[in-house]
């Protein structure tokens, strides 16, 4: 299966025509289209509508997770409903199987990497923040435990490893993802992990167990040589 993946479109109506033309080729180059969050800029249904127009016209099975920007207006449930109604598979701690390939997806959350992972100690506010990160990992766990396929693809918005956020300012690493997600991935096993959010991170990395992780933020893909709007993976 050829999986075309991108993330962080931050779609606004002004970007409509540019994307529409350039995305036309994706149907010939892939079997499935994955969008790893930050589909909209402010999480408004008015932004989702023109994006849906583009996506529906691709006539390609599409699997998405939401990103933090899609939560900005508190309309995430509306956005999910709009996409689901158009046949787009929205993963939120859930799994989806297609042609023998299993997809498990969730937004994930922040919290830091490795020795820098924030722990639930001290103030109630810290504990609530850490709990949100743990909940993100639990959602991924729930999604992955539903997979019955040999081939398994993980879709996140936040990064599960530090390697693919390298290039961003060190000070913001803890806000780009958390290795709590990688722990779950390594425990259950997967063939491919896709994420976005780190707009100027690095394309490729691996979990501690060696599972390939790819940052498909569109700004990052556009900065490569040759520049692209998406990247195609074979599983
Ligand atoms: Fe983004
Ligand atoms: Fe983001």
């Amino acid at each position: 299966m050829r999986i075309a993946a991108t993330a962080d479109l931050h779609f606004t109506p002004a970007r409509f025509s540019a994307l529409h033309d350039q995305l036309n080729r994706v149907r010939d180059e892939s079997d499935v289209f994955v969008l790893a969050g930050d589909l909209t800029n402010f999480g408004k249904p008015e932004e989702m509508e023109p994006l849906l127009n583009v996506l529906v016209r691709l006539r390609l099975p599409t699997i998405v997770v939401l990103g933090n920007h899609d939560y900005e207006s508190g309309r995430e449930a509306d956005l999910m409903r709009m996409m689901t109604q158009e046949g787009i598979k929205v993963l939120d701690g859930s799994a989806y199987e297609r042609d023998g390939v299993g997809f498990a997806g969730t937004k994930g959350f922040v919290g830091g990497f490795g020795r820098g992972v924030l722990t639930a100690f001290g103030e109630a506010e810290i504990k609530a923040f850490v709990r949100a990160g743990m909940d993100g990992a639990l959602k991924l766990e729930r999604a992955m435990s539903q997979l019955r396929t040999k081939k398994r693809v993980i879709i996140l918005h936040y990064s599960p490893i530090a390697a693919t956020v390298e290039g961003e300012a060190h000070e913001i690493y803890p806000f780009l993802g958390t290795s709590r997600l990688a722990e779950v991935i390594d425990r259950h096993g997967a063939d491919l992990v896709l994420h976005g959010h780190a707009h100027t991170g690095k394309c490729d990395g691996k979990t501690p167990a060696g599972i390939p992780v790819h940052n498909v933020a569109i700004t990052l893909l556009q900065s490569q040589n040759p520049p692209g709007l998406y990247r195609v993976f074979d599983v």
Side-chain angles (χ1 to χ4, degrees), residues 8 10 36-38 66-70 157-158 175-176 196-199:
D8 299 277
H10 292 264
D38 283 356
L66 295 189
N68 53 318
H69 277 252
D70 304 313
H157 181 58
Y158 290 102
F175 311 120
L176 297 174
H197 189 61
H199 290 199

Side-chain angles (χ1 to χ4, degrees), residues 97-110:
E97 207 182 302
R98 188 179 182 94
D99 300 331
V101 178
F103 296 85
T106 195
K107 173 175 65 65
F109 198 60
V110 301

